[in-house]
Amino acid sequence: MTLSFGGREALDTVNQRQFLESGYLVLPGLLPEALRERLVPEADRWVDEGLRARSIEACVDPVRHGPPPVLELELPAHGELLTHPPLMRVLTRLLGPSFVFHHLHSDRQAPGIPGKAWHHDCEPNDRSDPSLLMVHALHYLGGLDETVGSLAVLPGSHRNPVDKSAYAHHGTGELPGEAVIDRLPPGSTVLLNSALFHTRRPAPDGPGRPRYFIDASYCQVGARWRPVKPHWRQMLARARELDLADGQWPELFAERHFTEYTGTAGTAGTA
C-alpha cells in the first residue's frame, strides 16, 4: 500500500494497521530533493573509492581487515538520512517512541546487476519474540522504473516465521499474492517489516541506469537484537559522537539493545 507523503503528515491508524497486516508501506518522494542531491554523490564516493568494498571485507573477515576506514553514517547526508524527521515520525507510529538503529547500507548498483532471490532480512532477538518489530527503510534515490528493475513483496509473509532463504528456490520468479513496486519517483522509500519476503528483479529490457539504493534498519526496544556487523559498537559510538540523534532519540544508538556479534550472513543490502 502507498501513503501519500509530504510536509508533516503522520501515519494514520489505517496505514498503521495495514502495515501490520501486509508488512510494507510505500512512501513516494519521502526524501526532499536537497537531501537526495547530497546523498547521490556520497553513494558515488562510497562505491568509487572502494569504501563499500572495504566495509564488506570488514564484515566477511574482521580478523584480517579490521574495522572499515569510513562508516556509512560518517558521510554527512547519510547520517542525516538516519534521522530524517518525516521518516522518524512514521517509524514512531510503527515502533513506538523508543527504537534502536540496527545498521545502514549504501550502494550504487550497476546497470544489469542480477536479481536477488526471495528472502527476508529479519535478525533474531534474545527473547525469540516475533511480536517485536524490526523495520527496514529502503530508500531509492533515483526511484524505480523499467530502467532499474522492480521490488516485489509477498504481503503477509512476515507472519510466518521461517528461515531467511526459505523461498530462495523460487529465484526472482513470480509468487501467488505478490505485490510489485515498479514505479516510484526519485527519493522514495519503502518500509518493510524485516521479516517480509521480498525480491529484487532486474530491469526487464536489459541494462538501464544505475540503481542508487540505501537501506537502514530499526528495531523496537524490549529485547536485545543480533548485530550484523562486527564493528557495531564502533558504529553506534560514532553515531553518538556525531550526535546524529540530536538529543531527541536517547535509545537510538544505545549498545544495551544488542547481543554479542556471532558472525555475518549477508550484510550488503540487496533489495
Side-chain angles (χ1 to χ4, degrees):
M1 91 257 5
T2 300
L3 176 64
S4 178
F5 201 92
R8 296 184 58 85
E9 289 91 335
L11 191 70
D12 63 26
T13 302
V14 173
N15 293 127
Q16 185 177 10
R17 183 170 63 249
Q18 289 176 338
F19 176 84
L20 294 175
E21 292 174 354
S22 70
Y24 76 103
L25 182 66
V26 180
L27 306 174
L30 175 72
L31 308 182
E33 183 65 13
L35 176 58
R36 193 184 73 84
E37 288 181 348
R38 293 168 53 219
L39 287 165
V40 169
E42 287 187 353
D44 285 333
R45 178 195 171 200
W46 186 249
V47 174
D48 293 337
E49 295 184 10
L51 296 173
R52 180 176 183 274
R54 295 185 68 176
S55 180
I56 293 172
E57 290 172 348
C59 293
V60 173
D61 192 347
V63 174
R64 178 182 178 186
H65 297 287
V70 178
L71 301 169
E72 293 99 322
L73 57 76
E74 292 181 300
L75 305 175
H78 279 63
E80 185 177 325
L81 175 64
L82 286 184
T83 57
H84 182 49
L87 173 65
M88 299 301 276
R89 286 195 291 271
V90 176
L91 289 174
T92 297
R93 291 296 301 268
L94 297 178
L95 299 174
S98 293
F99 49 91
V100 62
F101 164 72
H102 191 275
H103 69 265
L104 174 69
H105 296 135
S106 183
D107 197 7
R108 184 193 65 212
Q109 296 164 339
I113 187 173
K116 173 68 175 179
W118 286 98
H119 67 286
H120 74 71
D121 296 304
C122 192
E123 297 296 329
N125 61 68
D126 65 353
R127 287 176 50 188
S128 298
D129 186 350
S131 69
L132 289 175
L133 293 181
M134 181 180 189
V135 171
H136 270 64
L138 312 182
H139 304 289
Y140 296 97
L141 303 186
L144 289 178
D145 58 31
E146 69 280 357
T147 67
V148 296
S150 61
L151 171 70
V153 300
L154 194 60
S157 58
H158 60 296
R159 297 196 296 268
N160 181 28
V162 292
D163 185 77
K164 290 182 178 184
S165 59
Y167 296 166
H169 60 284
H170 294 286
T172 62
E174 183 177 347
L175 292 181
E178 70 172 35
V180 178
I181 303 166
D182 58 3
R183 293 285 176 179
L184 287 178
S188 293
T189 299
V190 179
L191 296 183
L192 298 184
N193 181 311
S194 301
L196 186 77
F197 277 89
H198 57 284
T199 181
R200 183 188 71 229
R201 291 188 176 137
D205 297 323
R209 60 185 173 90
R211 188 185 199 194
Y212 286 87
F213 172 74
I214 301 172
D215 82 76
S217 65
Y218 307 81
C219 305
Q220 279 185 315
V221 300
R224 295 190 305 154
W225 296 85
R226 184 173 72 183
V228 295
K229 297 190 178 187
H231 49 278
W232 65 274
R233 281 195 174 90
Q234 175 188 338
M235 178 179 67
L236 294 178
R238 188 66 179 127
R240 294 194 300 270
E241 290 173 4
L242 294 170
D243 193 25
L244 296 183
D246 195 27
Q248 300 182 61
W249 311 97
E251 300 301 315
L252 193 61
F253 302 110
E255 294 182 10
R256 60 181 169 274
H257 300 299
F258 294 94
T259 65
E260 292 301 315
Y261 176 78
T262 58
T264 183
T267 62
T270 54

